[in-house]
């Protein structure tokens, strides 16, 4: 079996790739040469969403997600309707497979009422246009779950999952997917590995969130998709599964959720 790994969450437009030798293009090509078969580049506001589409057009099996991240909400408050209209207008591009990265961020002091408004409006867009969503959830597990429950026709993925194993079961009962990245390799992340074990095989995904959250042994470095091999090893070990079979299952899950085929 030829093992193929698909990165369901990347940010190759991030300025940190300016510090990678050869830049963003080299980081992507290095990853493809290491067994990565594709990626989804996620937007965080209208401009980065448009950039994600342009990046996706340049690489094989590359796709884009468009959306407004909770950390961008305050900056876009005065132009909320215009910004949401821009996100909606991008959905017609064939490279766009999801709305994201959207959600709630409770770690930082960001207007929570405003976050909820942006999150709700983008779930409405997802419902209207029948698009999956990629959800950011930091220290807001309960509110995110309640928001998702109010949109039973919308499904998506909990990106960079950091919640409990018990809440995994809540999300997956609703038909949602759960994605894990570099933190599953961290020494003190047993809670993440416990959650990883709780995800049904047909609902688990892998990601990087690059250039952030590199796995061991690359902590402190710029993360890129080729580092998923370490994350895959840790996920397979935590679940007691064959890594090639797990990689294949996650690839099939990716295709099913995002409606892509290659």
């Amino acid at each position: 079996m030829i093992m193929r790994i698909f990165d369901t969450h990347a940010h190759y437009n991030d300025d940190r790739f300016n510090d990678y030798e050869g830049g963003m293009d080299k980081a992507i090509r290095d990853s493809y040469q290491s067994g990565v078969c594709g990626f989804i580049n996620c937007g965080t506001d209208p401009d980065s969403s448009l950039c994600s589409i342009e990046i996706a057009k340049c690489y094989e099996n590359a796709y884009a997600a468009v959306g407004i991240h909770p950390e961008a909400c305050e900056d876009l408050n005065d132009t909320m309707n215009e910004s949401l209209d821009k996100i909606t207008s991008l959905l017609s591009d064939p490279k766009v497979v999801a709305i994201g990265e959207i959600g709630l961020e409770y770690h930082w002091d960001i207007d929570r009422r405003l976050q909820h408004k942006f999150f709700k409006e983008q779930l409405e867009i997802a419902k209207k246009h029948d698009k999956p969503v990629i959800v950011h959830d930091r220290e807001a597990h309960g509110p995110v779950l309640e928001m998702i429950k109010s949109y039973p026709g919308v499904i998506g993925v909990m990106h960079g999952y950091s919640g409990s194993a018990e809440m995994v079961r809540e999300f997956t009962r609703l038909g949602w997917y759960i994605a894990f990245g570099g933190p599953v390799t961290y020494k003190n992340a047993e809670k993440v590995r416990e959650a990883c074990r709780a995800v049904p095989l047909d609902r688990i995904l892998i990601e990087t969130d690059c250039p952030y959250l590199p796995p061991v042994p690359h902590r402190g470095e710029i993360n890129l998709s080729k580092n998923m091999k370490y994350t895959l090893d840790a996920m397979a070990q935590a679940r007691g599964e064959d890594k090639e079979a797990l990689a294949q299952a996650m690839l099939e899950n990716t295709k099913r959720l995002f409606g892509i085929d290659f």
Side-chain angles (χ1 to χ4, degrees), residues 136-204:
H136 172 99
D137 167 18
R138 191 175 186 194
E139 300 176 14
H141 310 314
V144 165
L145 179 60
E146 290 308 305
M147 185 76 82
I148 285 171
K149 283 181 176 179
S150 66
Y151 288 88
V154 176
I155 63 166
V157 55
M158 300 302 301
H159 131 73
Y161 188 75
S162 60
S164 66
E166 290 75 19
M167 196 157 280
V168 160
R169 299 180 185 100
E170 293 285 338
F171 285 118
T172 55
R173 271 197 291 267
L174 295 172
W176 278 61
Y177 294 71
I178 310 290
F180 297 91
V184 77
T185 70
Y186 299 171
K187 181 179 179 181
N188 296 324
E190 184 52 41
K191 178 183 174 182
V192 177
R193 289 185 285 275
E194 182 182 354
C196 182
R197 285 191 288 272
V199 184
L201 185 61
D202 65 348
R203 286 292 181 270
I204 194 165

Side-chain angles (χ1 to χ4, degrees), residues 202-224:
D202 65 348
R203 286 292 181 270
I204 194 165
L205 299 175
I206 191 169
E207 63 169 55
T208 58
D209 202 14
C210 67
Y212 307 101
L213 300 174
V216 174
H218 292 287
R219 294 194 72 174
E221 302 176 13
I222 296 170
N223 198 12
L224 59 158

